[in-house]
Amino acid sequence: MKRRDFLITTCAAALAPRIALASAPFDLVAQPVIGQILPEGDPVTEMLGFNGSTPGPVLRARQGDTFDIRFLNQIDEGSAVHWHGLRIDNAMDGVPGMTQDVIETGAEFTYSFRAPDAGTFWYHSHNRSWEQVAKGLYGPLIVEEPTPPDVDHDLIVMIDDWRITEAGALVDGFENRHDQAHQGRLGNFARALVEPNTPVRRGDRVRLRLINVATDRIFPIELEGIDGKIVAFDGMPLPNPQEVSNLLFAPAQRADIIADVTSADQIAFVFPTRDDPYLLGKIPVEGANTTRQPSGIPALPPNEQKQPDLDNAVALTLTMQGGAMSRPASTQTDIWALNGQSGLTDTPLHRFERGQAARIRLVNDTRFPHGIHLHGHHFFEVGTDGSLGAFRDTSLVNAGGTRDIVCVFDNPGNWLLHCHMLGHQAAGMKTWVEVS
Ligand code: C2O
Ligand code: CU
C-alpha cells in the first residue's frame, strides 16, 4: 500500500445513535444507503447498510439479556445476519444453507438469543458476505458487563477499508479471481470510524473497542495519545491485561483497551507503513479531567470458560492450501482448500460429541496469512511453550506458519469454520463441524 493511494480524512462518519433494546423486537432493516466514506465535501457513496446507515446501529445490551431482532431484508438479493463471536443457539447463527434459509428480498426473520458473554462483538451479513460486507452490511454488537469498568467514555472503533473511486463509487468486481487468489479485496482507502464521535478530556479513562470489519485486510494499529492496557481479545477478557503494543487485527478480530488519555490534542489510530504512517482516524481531546485519581487498569470479569481435558482431547489438523504461488492440493476444486477440500460438502471436518475437547493444528501451507474463524465457540490459542493463551474466535496464522488451538465443543449444532478473509471464503476456504 502506497501512501498516496490513501486519501487523508479528518472526520469520522456520522454514525447512528446508540440503540437500547428496551422493547422487543428491534427492527433491523438491510437496505441501500448513502454513505459518506470519502471526506466530508467529497462525493457520497451508494452502499448497503442497516436502518439507514453503514455501519448499522450499535446493538447494546447487558450480559444475560435477550436480543430480539426482527431482520427485514430490503436489498435486492437474499441476505441473513450472523452475530459474530456470540456463543448462541445454532438456529440463530445466521448462516444460509446451514442454520437457516436465505432471507429473500422483502422477507423477514426474527433472531432471538440470550447474550451469554459480556464483550465486544459485531454483526454482519453472512450471505455473499464478500460483497455484502464490503458494501457496508455490518455493525457493532456490545454486551455490557453486569458492573461495567469505571471509564469516562466507552468508544467503538471500527476499522475498515474500501475500494473506491474519487467519484465515490465502490469499485465492482467483488468476486475478482486475482484478488481471491492473493490477499483478497484490499481497499485503496481506509478509516477508523469512532462511535460516539465526541471529544474526550486529557486525564479521562477511556475504553476503546476496536473491531476490524474489513473483508480482507489485516490491520496493524498503533495508538497514540493514551497509556493503558489491552483487556480483551475477541470479546473475551484477558486474565492479565497486556501492554498495548504490536496490535494486529485479522478481519473480524477485536481488542478492548482501557487507557488514560495522555495527550492534550488527540487520540490517534495510526496504520504504520514503511514510508509514512497513515492516520486512520482520531478522537479529539478538549480540556482536562483533574478529578480522576491515578489507578491501575483492572482485568475485566471473566466470561465462562470450560477447561479442556487435554489428556483426552481429539487431535486434528486443518491444513490451508492453494492460492497464488503455491502448488494446489490435488483434490481441490477452487482457489483455496482446507485439508484438500474446497467449499462445503455433506461431510463435516469432524463430528464432536458435545463437551469433547479438541486440539486442532492450524497449518498454513500457503503464501498468504489467514484468519480462521470458528462459529458458536471460542478456543484457546496455544502458545509456543504449550500454555493456553488468549481465548478467541478468530486466529491469525502467518504464511507458512502453524498454530495449535484448543476448543471445547460444547455448543450443539452445525458450525462453520472458515477463513474470515471473505474473498478466501468465497473461493473455497471453508468447512464445518458437527457437535451433537
Ligand atoms: Cu464473522 Cu462466518 O463469520
Ligand atoms: Cu484466508
Side-chain angles (χ1 to χ4, degrees):
M1 180 174 40
K2 291 180 243 72
R3 186 171 194 270
R4 67 182 144 78
D5 291 336
F6 273 73
L7 306 163
I8 292 292
T9 176
T10 51
C11 52
L15 296 178
R18 178 167 309 175
I19 303 293
L21 292 170
S23 54
F26 175 77
D27 282 352
L28 187 68
V29 186
Q31 56 196 181
V33 301
I34 300 292
Q36 183 71 54
I37 298 303
L38 298 178
E40 212 65 55
D42 281 9
V44 295
T45 303
E46 288 181 27
M47 308 178 70
L48 299 177
F50 291 103
N51 298 11
S53 71
T54 179
V58 181
L59 303 179
R60 186 182 273 270
R62 271 289 150 96
Q63 186 170 18
D65 283 357
T66 295
F67 284 88
D68 261 313
I69 296 169
R70 187 164 69 129
F71 171 66
L72 298 105
N73 183 9
Q74 293 177 5
I75 67 170
D76 64 9
E77 61 180 19
S79 196
V81 186
H82 171 57
W83 317 95
H84 184 113
L86 277 87
R87 300 189 284 177
I88 58 178
D89 283 353
N90 192 247
M92 296 293 123
D93 199 42
V95 180
M98 177 158 282
T99 67
Q100 66 173 111
D101 291 333
V102 71
I103 303 154
E104 301 292 353
T105 305
E108 60 179 65
F109 183 91
T110 299
Y111 293 96
S112 181
F113 52 87
R114 195 186 143 270
D117 300 310
T120 300
F121 304 95
W122 64 302
Y123 59 94
H124 62 80
S125 161
H126 215 298
N127 192 49
R128 306 192 62 253
S129 56
W130 47 92
E131 178 167 341
Q132 293 187 6
V133 173
K135 287 182 168 174
L137 277 184
Y138 62 78
L141 191 154
I142 305 300
V143 184
E144 293 173 354
E145 295 78 16
T147 312
D150 168 30
V151 297
D152 300 298
H153 299 273
D154 185 329
L155 303 165
I156 301 164
V157 186
M158 281 164 283
I159 300 156
D160 202 354
D161 70 349
W162 302 266
R163 193 177 288 181
I164 192 169
T165 68
E166 277 177 43
L170 293 179
V171 177
D172 255 339
F174 294 92
E175 294 180 333
N176 180 304
R177 300 289 281 175
H178 182 271
D179 288 341
Q180 289 175 346
H182 293 77
Q183 193 55 75
R185 179 183 168 97
L186 300 178
N188 57 333
F189 181 68
R191 282 168 75 178
L193 307 168
V194 184
E195 203 289 335
N197 183 23
T198 49
V200 300
R201 296 169 298 180
R202 187 165 57 84
D204 275 349
R205 180 159 282 189
V206 296
R207 177 180 189 160
L208 304 173
R209 302 172 181 269
L210 284 84
I211 312 173
N212 182 358
V213 296
T215 53
D216 299 271
R217 184 184 290 280
I218 299 168
F219 277 99
I221 300 287
E222 282 170 7
L223 294 175
E224 293 172 1
I226 55 167
D227 179 28
K229 295 262 167 75
I230 306 168
V231 294
F233 282 126
D234 293 356
M236 296 298 181
L238 301 174
N240 301 304
Q242 291 177 12
E243 291 310 317
V244 185
S245 61
N246 303 319
L247 273 175
L248 190 63
F249 293 83
Q253 287 188 322
R254 289 91 67 210
D256 283 46
I257 290 162
I258 296 181
D260 298 321
V261 180
T262 53
S263 167
D265 177 26
Q266 63 180 24
I267 302 174
F269 302 92
V270 176
F271 185 110
T273 68
R274 216 168 309 159
D275 1 311
D276 230 344
Y278 176 76
L279 182 64
L280 291 166
K282 62 186 184 181
I283 300 168
V285 177
E286 285 173 14
N289 178 347
T290 50
T291 55
R292 180 172 275 280
Q293 297 302 312
S295 63
I297 307 286
L300 295 172
N303 291 318
E304 190 195 358
Q305 230 176 44
K306 294 214 178 92
Q307 285 314 304
D309 174 4
L310 291 174
D311 294 336
N312 295 302
V314 191
L316 299 171
T317 300
L318 187 74
T319 305
M320 301 157 229
Q321 296 151 312
M325 298 173 285
S326 288
R327 194 143 45 88
S330 59
T331 49
Q332 77 184 64
T333 53
D334 206 338
I335 293 171
W336 298 100
L338 293 170
N339 293 0
Q341 176 69 53
S342 302
L344 304 181
T345 64
D346 292 343
T347 315
L349 173 77
H350 195 79
R351 295 197 156 93
F352 296 98
E353 269 168 53
R354 186 175 181 182
Q356 200 168 33
R359 174 189 285 263
I360 306 178
R361 177 152 297 176
L362 305 177
V363 178
N364 184 343
D365 193 14
T366 81
R367 300 300 189 97
F368 296 89
H370 301 285
I372 300 296
H373 171 50
L374 172 64
H375 283 221
H377 299 78
H378 274 61
F379 50 77
F380 295 95
E381 287 187 334
V382 180
T384 41
D385 61 350
S387 63
L388 298 187
F391 194 49
R392 308 202 69 138
D393 61 45
T394 305
S395 187
L396 179 60
V397 188
N398 291 329
T402 293
R403 169 174 289 119
D404 284 8
I405 59 171
V406 167
C407 183
V408 179
F409 286 89
D410 59 353
N411 197 355
N414 296 338
W415 303 103
L416 276 187
L417 174 63
H418 65 85
C419 181
H420 218 290
M421 279 95 177
L422 298 176
H424 294 174
Q425 185 198 0
M429 199 177 264
K430 59 180 164 187
T431 183
W432 61 290
V433 299
E434 183 185 297
V435 182
S436 55

